[in-house]
Amino acid sequence: MIWISDFRLLEPQFLFNDFRPYENGIDSDTLAKAFSALDREVLSYLYAHINPTLLRSIPKLSLRPSQQDLIDAQIRLVATYFWELAYRKYPEQYEQFSNLQRFALDRLFPRSKFIGKIVLDIGCGTGKLLDYLARISTFVFGIDPCGPMLEVARRKHAASSNVSIEKGGFANIPLPDRSVDVVASNMAFQYHERSGGIIGLHEMKRVLRPGGEIRLVVGNPTTQDFLLRLGFRERFVPHGLIIREDCDSDVTVKCMCALALQGSTHHLNVSRHYLSAAGEWRFSWTLSNIWAWLRGTPYRQLFHQGKLHLPSGLAVYTWKDGADR
Protein backbone atom coordinates (compact mmCIF):
# COMPACT_ATOMS: atom_id res chain seq x y z
CA MET A 1 0.00 0.00 0.00
CA ILE A 2 1.19 3.52 -0.79
CA TRP A 3 0.92 5.88 2.16
CA ILE A 4 2.24 9.12 3.59
CA SER A 5 5.40 7.57 5.07
CA ASP A 6 6.49 6.55 1.57
CA PHE A 7 7.50 10.13 0.81
CA ARG A 8 10.88 9.07 2.19
CA LEU A 9 11.34 7.21 -1.13
CA LEU A 10 11.53 10.45 -3.12
CA GLU A 11 15.10 11.35 -3.94
CA PRO A 12 16.64 14.62 -2.66
CA GLN A 13 16.84 16.01 -6.22
CA PHE A 14 13.15 15.26 -6.83
CA LEU A 15 12.13 16.84 -3.53
CA PHE A 16 14.13 19.99 -4.21
CA ASN A 17 13.15 20.48 -7.86
CA ASP A 18 9.87 18.67 -8.41
CA PHE A 19 7.97 18.51 -5.14
CA ARG A 20 5.60 21.40 -5.80
CA PRO A 21 2.32 20.58 -4.05
CA TYR A 22 0.85 24.08 -4.49
CA GLU A 23 1.04 23.71 -8.27
CA ASN A 24 -1.00 20.53 -7.91
CA GLY A 25 -3.81 22.10 -5.91
CA ILE A 26 -2.51 21.30 -2.42
CA ASP A 27 -2.89 24.45 -0.30
CA SER A 28 -0.55 25.31 2.57
CA ASP A 29 -2.99 24.28 5.32
CA THR A 30 -3.54 20.86 3.74
CA LEU A 31 0.21 20.37 3.41
CA ALA A 32 0.76 21.39 7.04
CA LYS A 33 -1.88 18.90 8.21
CA ALA A 34 -0.43 16.09 6.11
CA PHE A 35 3.09 16.79 7.37
CA SER A 36 1.89 16.88 10.99
CA ALA A 37 1.03 13.18 10.73
CA LEU A 38 4.51 12.13 9.59
CA ASP A 39 6.89 10.39 11.95
CA ARG A 40 10.00 12.30 12.94
CA GLU A 41 12.39 10.38 10.67
CA VAL A 42 10.38 10.97 7.49
CA LEU A 43 9.66 14.59 8.40
CA SER A 44 13.35 15.27 9.04
CA TYR A 45 14.22 13.77 5.66
CA LEU A 46 11.66 15.96 3.86
CA TYR A 47 12.68 19.09 5.71
CA ALA A 48 16.32 18.44 4.82
CA HIS A 49 15.66 18.21 1.08
CA ILE A 50 12.56 20.09 -0.06
CA ASN A 51 13.01 23.57 -1.45
CA PRO A 52 13.57 26.14 1.37
CA THR A 53 11.05 28.48 -0.27
CA LEU A 54 8.38 25.81 0.10
CA LEU A 55 9.44 25.13 3.68
CA ARG A 56 8.97 28.76 4.66
CA SER A 57 5.44 28.75 3.24
CA ILE A 58 4.18 25.89 5.42
CA PRO A 59 2.24 27.39 8.35
CA LYS A 60 2.49 26.19 11.92
CA LEU A 61 -0.76 24.64 13.10
CA SER A 62 -2.31 26.53 16.01
CA LEU A 63 -4.75 23.70 16.79
CA ARG A 64 -4.34 19.95 16.35
CA PRO A 65 -6.48 18.86 13.38
CA SER A 66 -9.19 16.27 13.84
CA GLN A 67 -8.37 12.70 12.86
CA GLN A 68 -10.58 13.01 9.79
CA ASP A 69 -8.86 16.23 8.69
CA LEU A 70 -5.48 14.51 9.03
CA ILE A 71 -6.60 11.54 6.96
CA ASP A 72 -8.16 13.77 4.30
CA ALA A 73 -4.97 15.82 4.01
CA GLN A 74 -2.81 12.73 3.74
CA ILE A 75 -5.05 11.19 1.08
CA ARG A 76 -4.87 14.34 -1.04
CA LEU A 77 -1.08 14.46 -0.85
CA VAL A 78 -0.63 10.75 -1.48
CA ALA A 79 -3.10 10.78 -4.39
CA THR A 80 -1.27 13.72 -5.99
CA TYR A 81 2.09 11.96 -5.89
CA PHE A 82 0.81 8.39 -6.11
CA TRP A 83 2.60 7.44 -9.30
CA GLU A 84 5.94 8.94 -8.24
CA LEU A 85 5.71 6.89 -5.04
CA ALA A 86 4.49 3.73 -6.80
CA TYR A 87 7.31 3.89 -9.34
CA ARG A 88 9.81 3.78 -6.50
CA LYS A 89 8.10 1.38 -4.09
CA TYR A 90 6.51 -1.12 -6.47
CA PRO A 91 8.42 -1.08 -9.79
CA GLU A 92 7.77 -4.81 -10.36
CA GLN A 93 4.03 -4.36 -9.81
CA TYR A 94 4.05 -1.37 -12.13
CA GLU A 95 5.66 -3.59 -14.76
CA GLN A 96 2.70 -5.97 -14.37
CA PHE A 97 0.29 -3.07 -14.78
CA SER A 98 2.23 -1.87 -17.81
CA ASN A 99 1.84 -5.30 -19.37
CA LEU A 100 -1.93 -4.92 -19.17
CA GLN A 101 -1.76 -1.83 -21.37
CA ARG A 102 -1.68 -2.60 -25.06
CA PHE A 103 -0.25 0.32 -27.06
CA ALA A 104 -0.39 0.19 -30.85
CA LEU A 105 3.36 0.76 -30.95
CA ASP A 106 3.70 -0.30 -34.58
CA ARG A 107 1.37 2.56 -35.58
CA LEU A 108 2.46 5.13 -33.01
CA PHE A 109 6.15 4.41 -33.69
CA PRO A 110 6.30 2.88 -37.22
CA ARG A 111 9.19 0.52 -37.88
CA SER A 112 10.25 2.49 -40.95
CA LYS A 113 11.13 5.47 -38.73
CA PHE A 114 13.55 3.46 -36.58
CA ILE A 115 15.19 0.75 -38.68
CA GLY A 116 18.93 1.42 -38.85
CA LYS A 117 18.63 4.42 -36.50
CA ILE A 118 20.18 5.43 -33.18
CA VAL A 119 17.23 6.21 -30.91
CA LEU A 120 16.63 7.86 -27.54
CA ASP A 121 13.63 6.79 -25.44
CA ILE A 122 12.93 9.40 -22.73
CA GLY A 123 10.83 8.35 -19.75
CA CYS A 124 11.43 4.71 -20.61
CA GLY A 125 10.21 3.45 -17.23
CA THR A 126 10.38 -0.35 -17.05
CA GLY A 127 10.86 -0.51 -20.80
CA LYS A 128 7.63 -1.04 -22.77
CA LEU A 129 8.63 1.22 -25.68
CA LEU A 130 12.31 0.44 -25.15
CA ASP A 131 11.63 -3.29 -25.68
CA TYR A 132 9.92 -2.55 -28.99
CA LEU A 133 12.59 -0.11 -30.20
CA ALA A 134 15.45 -2.46 -29.30
CA ARG A 135 14.10 -5.05 -31.75
CA ILE A 136 14.06 -2.68 -34.73
CA SER A 137 16.73 0.00 -34.12
CA THR A 138 20.50 -0.14 -34.43
CA PHE A 139 20.98 1.23 -30.91
CA VAL A 140 18.64 2.55 -28.23
CA PHE A 141 19.38 4.80 -25.26
CA GLY A 142 16.75 4.59 -22.53
CA ILE A 143 16.60 7.23 -19.78
CA ASP A 144 14.27 7.79 -16.86
CA PRO A 145 14.56 9.75 -13.59
CA CYS A 146 13.35 6.84 -11.43
CA GLY A 147 16.10 4.44 -10.36
CA PRO A 148 13.91 1.46 -9.31
CA MET A 149 12.10 1.53 -12.66
CA LEU A 150 15.42 1.54 -14.49
CA GLU A 151 16.58 -1.51 -12.54
CA VAL A 152 13.65 -3.48 -13.95
CA ALA A 153 14.51 -2.29 -17.47
CA ARG A 154 18.20 -3.15 -16.98
CA ARG A 155 17.39 -6.70 -15.86
CA LYS A 156 15.26 -7.20 -18.95
CA HIS A 157 18.08 -6.01 -21.22
CA ALA A 158 21.10 -7.39 -19.39
CA ALA A 159 22.08 -9.38 -22.48
CA SER A 160 21.18 -6.73 -25.05
CA SER A 161 24.21 -5.33 -26.87
CA ASN A 162 22.26 -2.50 -28.52
CA VAL A 163 20.68 -0.99 -25.40
CA SER A 164 22.09 1.53 -22.91
CA ILE A 165 19.99 2.55 -19.89
CA GLU A 166 20.88 5.59 -17.79
CA LYS A 167 19.26 7.88 -15.26
CA GLY A 168 18.08 11.18 -16.71
CA GLY A 169 15.09 13.15 -17.88
CA PHE A 170 13.84 15.71 -20.36
CA ALA A 171 15.75 18.54 -18.69
CA ASN A 172 19.01 16.61 -18.34
CA ILE A 173 19.63 14.20 -21.21
CA PRO A 174 23.02 12.50 -20.54
CA LEU A 175 24.07 12.46 -24.20
CA PRO A 176 26.29 14.72 -26.32
CA ASP A 177 25.00 17.11 -28.98
CA ARG A 178 23.79 15.59 -32.26
CA SER A 179 24.07 12.00 -31.05
CA VAL A 180 20.73 10.38 -32.01
CA ASP A 181 18.56 10.09 -35.12
CA VAL A 182 15.20 9.90 -33.35
CA VAL A 183 13.94 11.00 -29.94
CA ALA A 184 10.87 9.05 -28.81
CA SER A 185 8.68 9.17 -25.74
CA ASN A 186 5.45 7.37 -24.87
CA MET A 187 3.08 9.11 -22.43
CA ALA A 188 5.89 10.81 -20.50
CA PHE A 189 6.26 14.31 -21.97
CA GLN A 190 4.21 17.11 -20.38
CA TYR A 191 3.90 20.83 -21.09
CA HIS A 192 5.36 21.85 -17.71
CA GLU A 193 9.08 22.03 -17.01
CA ARG A 194 9.01 19.20 -14.44
CA SER A 195 8.34 16.65 -17.19
CA GLY A 196 9.42 18.36 -20.37
CA GLY A 197 8.24 21.85 -21.26
CA ILE A 198 10.38 24.29 -23.23
CA ILE A 199 13.56 23.15 -21.51
CA GLY A 200 12.82 19.54 -22.45
CA LEU A 201 12.20 20.46 -26.07
CA HIS A 202 15.51 22.34 -26.25
CA GLU A 203 17.32 19.32 -24.78
CA MET A 204 15.70 16.94 -27.26
CA LYS A 205 16.63 19.17 -30.17
CA ARG A 206 20.18 19.48 -28.81
CA VAL A 207 20.85 15.73 -29.01
CA LEU A 208 19.11 15.33 -32.37
CA ARG A 209 21.20 14.91 -35.50
CA PRO A 210 20.50 17.08 -38.57
CA GLY A 211 17.34 15.82 -40.23
CA GLY A 212 16.35 13.86 -37.14
CA GLU A 213 12.87 13.54 -35.69
CA ILE A 214 11.14 13.91 -32.33
CA ARG A 215 8.13 11.62 -31.87
CA LEU A 216 5.98 12.07 -28.74
CA VAL A 217 2.77 10.29 -27.70
CA VAL A 218 0.76 12.27 -25.15
CA GLY A 219 -2.79 12.09 -23.83
CA ASN A 220 -3.03 15.37 -21.96
CA PRO A 221 -5.04 18.02 -23.86
CA THR A 222 -2.99 20.91 -22.46
CA THR A 223 0.20 19.22 -23.61
CA GLN A 224 -1.35 18.50 -27.00
CA ASP A 225 -2.19 22.18 -27.50
CA PHE A 226 1.27 23.17 -26.25
CA LEU A 227 2.98 21.02 -28.89
CA LEU A 228 0.70 22.21 -31.69
CA ARG A 229 1.50 25.83 -30.86
CA LEU A 230 5.19 25.02 -31.18
CA GLY A 231 4.86 23.59 -34.66
CA PHE A 232 4.52 19.86 -33.98
CA ARG A 233 2.42 17.84 -36.39
CA GLU A 234 -0.41 15.72 -35.05
CA ARG A 235 -1.57 12.29 -36.16
CA PHE A 236 -4.46 10.47 -34.53
CA VAL A 237 -4.16 6.68 -34.05
CA PRO A 238 -7.52 5.00 -33.37
CA HIS A 239 -7.40 2.48 -30.54
CA GLY A 240 -3.83 3.50 -29.76
CA LEU A 241 -4.23 2.13 -26.24
CA ILE A 242 -6.47 -0.58 -24.85
CA ILE A 243 -6.59 -2.33 -21.49
CA ARG A 244 -6.47 -6.09 -21.85
CA GLU A 245 -9.85 -7.67 -21.26
CA ASP A 246 -8.48 -11.15 -20.59
CA CYS A 247 -7.00 -10.23 -17.22
CA ASP A 248 -8.32 -10.55 -13.69
CA SER A 249 -5.23 -8.99 -12.15
CA ASP A 250 -5.77 -6.97 -8.99
CA VAL A 251 -2.81 -4.85 -10.10
CA THR A 252 -5.08 -3.14 -12.60
CA VAL A 253 -7.75 -2.47 -10.02
CA LYS A 254 -5.27 -1.07 -7.52
CA CYS A 255 -3.83 1.27 -10.13
CA MET A 256 -7.29 2.36 -11.17
CA CYS A 257 -8.13 3.04 -7.52
CA ALA A 258 -5.22 5.46 -7.47
CA LEU A 259 -6.27 7.03 -10.75
CA ALA A 260 -9.79 7.50 -9.44
CA LEU A 261 -8.38 9.59 -6.59
CA GLN A 262 -6.20 11.73 -8.83
CA GLY A 263 -7.63 15.05 -9.93
CA SER A 264 -6.12 14.82 -13.39
CA THR A 265 -8.03 11.65 -14.16
CA HIS A 266 -11.35 13.33 -13.44
CA HIS A 267 -10.86 15.29 -16.65
CA LEU A 268 -10.10 12.42 -19.00
CA ASN A 269 -13.65 12.45 -20.26
CA VAL A 270 -13.41 16.10 -21.33
CA SER A 271 -10.11 15.86 -23.19
CA ARG A 272 -10.19 15.67 -26.94
CA HIS A 273 -10.93 12.37 -28.62
CA TYR A 274 -7.36 11.18 -28.20
CA LEU A 275 -7.85 9.68 -24.74
CA SER A 276 -11.35 9.71 -23.32
CA ALA A 277 -13.12 7.92 -20.53
CA ALA A 278 -16.45 6.25 -21.10
CA GLY A 279 -19.28 8.75 -21.43
CA GLU A 280 -21.13 7.42 -18.40
CA TRP A 281 -18.08 7.60 -16.13
CA ARG A 282 -18.64 9.21 -12.73
CA PHE A 283 -16.24 9.53 -9.81
CA SER A 284 -18.86 8.28 -7.32
CA TRP A 285 -19.65 5.35 -9.60
CA THR A 286 -15.96 4.41 -9.73
CA LEU A 287 -15.62 4.55 -5.95
CA SER A 288 -18.70 2.38 -5.47
CA ASN A 289 -17.13 -0.23 -7.75
CA ILE A 290 -13.89 -0.05 -5.77
CA TRP A 291 -15.73 -0.80 -2.57
CA ALA A 292 -17.66 -3.61 -4.28
CA TRP A 293 -14.37 -5.14 -5.41
CA LEU A 294 -12.95 -4.90 -1.90
CA ARG A 295 -16.03 -6.74 -0.63
CA GLY A 296 -15.37 -9.58 -3.03
CA THR A 297 -17.28 -8.76 -6.22
CA PRO A 298 -15.39 -10.38 -9.14
CA TYR A 299 -13.26 -7.96 -11.09
CA ARG A 300 -14.88 -8.96 -14.38
CA GLN A 301 -18.21 -7.56 -13.19
CA LEU A 302 -16.77 -4.11 -12.57
CA PHE A 303 -15.18 -1.26 -14.51
CA HIS A 304 -17.03 -1.59 -17.81
CA GLN A 305 -16.45 -5.34 -17.90
CA GLY A 306 -12.71 -4.90 -17.90
CA LYS A 307 -12.57 -1.89 -20.22
CA LEU A 308 -11.39 0.60 -17.65
CA HIS A 309 -11.03 3.72 -19.79
CA LEU A 310 -12.44 2.67 -23.15
CA PRO A 311 -9.91 4.95 -24.85
CA SER A 312 -10.85 5.88 -28.38
CA GLY A 313 -7.27 6.48 -29.40
CA LEU A 314 -4.04 8.41 -28.96
CA ALA A 315 -2.24 11.11 -30.87
CA VAL A 316 1.41 11.18 -31.84
CA TYR A 317 3.20 14.53 -32.24
CA THR A 318 6.23 14.87 -34.48
CA TRP A 319 8.84 17.51 -35.17
CA LYS A 320 11.51 17.06 -37.83
CA ASP A 321 14.76 18.98 -37.89
CA GLY A 322 14.88 21.29 -40.89
CA ALA A 323 11.19 20.94 -41.73
CA ASP A 324 10.36 24.46 -40.52
CA ARG A 325 13.32 26.20 -42.13
Side-chain angles (χ1 to χ4, degrees):
M1 180 178 181
I2 301 293
W3 197 235
I4 194 75
S5 59
D6 292 318
F7 274 82
R8 71 187 186 281
L9 300 174
L10 298 176
E11 303 88 351
Q13 183 178 7
F14 180 93
L15 289 170
F16 187 86
N17 294 319
D18 300 318
F19 182 64
R20 303 176 184 180
Y22 299 161
E23 294 181 11
N24 290 285
I26 303 293
D27 59 64
S28 59
D29 287 338
T30 298
L31 187 60
K33 290 173 184 175
F35 274 18
S36 71
L38 288 166
D39 64 48
R40 183 170 298 179
E41 181 182 354
V42 178
L43 190 61
S44 296
Y45 175 76
L46 292 178
Y47 275 30
H49 298 298
I50 64 177
N51 194 296
T53 302
L54 174 62
L55 267 182
R56 290 192 292 270
S57 70
I58 302 174
K60 294 186 180 298
L61 299 174
S62 55
L63 297 174
R64 180 166 180 78
S66 68
Q67 188 66 18
Q68 189 59 54
D69 282 348
L70 285 176
I71 292 174
D72 289 345
Q74 291 176 74
I75 288 175
R76 285 193 62 189
L77 192 60
V78 170
T80 299
Y81 289 94
F82 175 86
W83 286 113
E84 296 296 343
L85 298 172
Y87 295 154
R88 290 158 174 81
K89 188 173 184 178
Y90 296 121
E92 298 286 354
Q93 286 85 342
Y94 177 81
E95 169 70 356
Q96 295 177 49
F97 173 59
S98 178
N99 289 335
L100 304 181
Q101 299 173 302
R102 295 270 182 85
F103 286 91
L105 295 178
D106 58 334
R107 287 182 288 152
L108 295 166
F109 302 93
R111 294 172 59 91
S112 60
K113 300 287 186 179
F114 298 92
I115 293 176
K117 301 294 179 64
I118 296 176
V119 181
L120 168 63
D121 176 11
I122 309 182
C124 66
T126 56
K128 179 181 288 290
L129 178 59
L130 186 70
D131 300 344
Y132 168 78
L133 295 175
R135 295 193 297 269
I136 60 177
S137 305
T138 297
F139 198 90
V140 183
F141 295 98
I143 66 171
D144 195 278
C146 180
M149 299 270 276
L150 291 178
E151 287 306 310
V152 175
R154 286 191 181 106
R155 286 197 296 272
K156 289 163 62 177
H157 290 279
S160 300
S161 60
N162 70 328
V163 175
S164 176
I165 299 172
E166 301 293 338
K167 195 169 186 178
F170 288 102
N172 56 325
I173 299 175
L175 292 177
D177 296 355
R178 301 187 174 191
S179 54
V180 301
D181 300 302
V182 186
V183 176
S185 185
N186 188 33
M187 303 296 280
F189 183 86
Q190 297 288 337
Y191 66 93
H192 49 71
E193 303 302 328
R194 299 189 303 280
S195 300
I198 295 295
I199 293 174
L201 290 177
H202 284 322
E203 269 290 273
M204 287 188 282
K205 292 177 181 180
R206 177 185 66 79
V207 301
L208 203 62
R209 289 175 173 172
E213 183 176 271
I214 298 172
R215 180 167 286 260
L216 308 174
V217 172
V218 302
N220 179 290
T222 305
T223 301
Q224 293 166 352
D225 292 338
F226 171 81
L227 291 172
L228 289 174
R229 288 196 304 271
L230 292 173
F232 277 70
R233 293 188 175 183
E234 176 184 71
R235 175 173 173 264
F236 175 59
V237 177
H239 306 295
L241 166 64
I242 62 172
I243 302 294
R244 278 172 45 186
E245 297 181 54
D246 59 341
C247 181
D248 291 326
S249 171
D250 65 346
V251 174
T252 302
V253 179
K254 288 174 181 176
C255 288
M256 288 304 108
C257 290
L259 282 171
L261 294 173
Q262 284 185 290
S264 59
T265 303
H266 303 173
H267 301 295
L268 279 177
N269 60 335
V270 298
S271 68
R272 297 187 302 182
H273 59 285
Y274 308 122
L275 181 63
S276 59
E280 68 270 26
W281 185 87
R282 297 290 184 275
F283 181 55
S284 59
W285 182 84
T286 300
L287 285 181
S288 69
N289 272 344
I290 291 172
W291 298 129
W293 172 73
L294 291 173
R295 291 194 300 271
T297 301
Y299 164 74
R300 294 284 297 179
Q301 296 179 23
L302 306 175
F303 296 102
H304 304 286
Q305 290 71 53
K307 300 178 183 178
L308 302 184
H309 274 173
L310 290 179
S312 59
L314 289 173
V316 60
Y317 294 84
T318 60
W319 180 88
K320 191 173 181 64
D321 179 67
D324 56 349
R325 295 175 188 171

